Amino acid sequence: MKKKTIFTLLAVLLVAAALAALWYFGYKKPANAAANENLKSVTVNIVHTDGTENTRTFTTERAYLSELLEDEGLLVAEDQGYGLTILSLDGEEALVENNASWVFNVNGEMGTSSVDATPLADGDIYDFSILTW
Amino acid sequence: MTSLSSPGKLTLREVIVLGLLAAMMIGTKIALAALPNIHLGAVILTFAVAFFGWKALYTAAIYILLEGLVYGFGIWWVSYLYCWPLLVAALMAVRKKDSPLVYSAVAAAFGFAFGALCEIPYLFLIGWKASFTMWMAGIPFDIVHGAANFALCALLFPPLQKLGKHLQPIMQK
């Protein structure tokens, strides 16, 4: 192969490599970092009335607890005028008319809003249990 | 350097060949549409410049018009108005060398720079930050474009050069 051919080929490869580096460090890497900023790792612990527990950790981009639970097929709920009311969680029903309701704690403190108004934060632990009266 | 071009105005044969070259540019592009940014546009235009000189601008003009008719006259089309004539000018600058390698290098540079060149109209519409991001996002396609242009031109231009030399007696009858 002639020197000129090798030189030209190397020049083309060099430009391609420079463009690839520019794309990776200038676009792809910052874009990935921005996407990862929205990722949260949360733990959901569901305690059933028979004493069994279902504890799972999720990595999600979702903003609210109800969105995550619906994505995972755990939640059946309806809006009864005060935010979403949980009808069934992880396959177990708890209805107010039967004097039972699903309640939850966020990091050990009683939740103060409905699941659709509870924002997900990285590292949060959500403990669900049924309250009867 | 062999020329198929007659001095002065276009001859009937030149009108036919330059038009057919433009048709081949768009036809092969559509045929290779499944391969993003891999097409024979630069190779065919290189042939047109090598054998017809500045008259290759007619091929570029017809090709640009056909692109608009096939894909619609969007903002991207405005950039074609200067991108392809720019390639003709760049190829004309190295025409005297008549070297497949030099032509291939020009075609590669054109492919690498194509995304950036196409951003110029967007600069005025969406600002430099957004158009710079658009260019950055499309760099992988520019790399493919430049590398493919180089490979295809290096591979296909030498046989096209021979073909051009065979055509010379027919064209200049």
Side-chain angles (χ1 to χ4, degrees), chain A residues 4-5 8-9 12 15-16 19-20 22-23 26-27, chain B residues 101 105 108 112 133 135-137 139-140 142-143 150:
Chain A
K4 272 185 183 176
T5 310
T8 311
L9 199 60
V12 169
V15 174
L19 280 172
L22 185 68
W23 174 76
Y27 177 79
Chain B
L101 192 64
F112 288 140
T133 307
W135 168 64
M136 291 276 268
I139 283 176
D142 289 334
I143 294 173
F150 182 80

Side-chain angles (χ1 to χ4, degrees), chain A residues 63-93:
Chain A
Y64 291 96
L65 182 56
S66 60
E67 296 171 338
L68 170 67
L69 296 172
E70 279 170 350
D71 283 353
E72 297 300 324
L74 295 168
L75 178 69
V76 178
E78 73 175 16
D79 192 343
Q80 296 180 343
Y82 303 99
L84 281 184
T85 299
I86 301 172
L87 303 179
S88 165
L89 194 67
D90 196 20
E92 184 167 2
E93 202 176 62

Side-chain angles (χ1 to χ4, degrees), chain B residues 79-135:
Chain B
S79 61
Y80 273 43
L81 291 171
Y82 56 82
C83 281
W84 293 96
L86 191 70
L87 176 60
V88 172
L91 290 166
M92 280 301 293
V94 298
R95 188 174 178 236
K96 277 185 183 170
K97 292 190 186 296
D98 200 29
S99 154
L101 192 64
V102 175
Y103 282 139
S104 303
V106 172
F110 176 70
F112 288 140
F114 195 78
L117 290 170
C118 286
E119 285 306 320
I120 294 171
Y122 293 98
L123 273 175
F124 301 100
L125 288 170
I126 57 174
W128 74 269
K129 277 187 182 172
S131 50
F132 186 75
T133 307
M134 267 176 75
W135 168 64

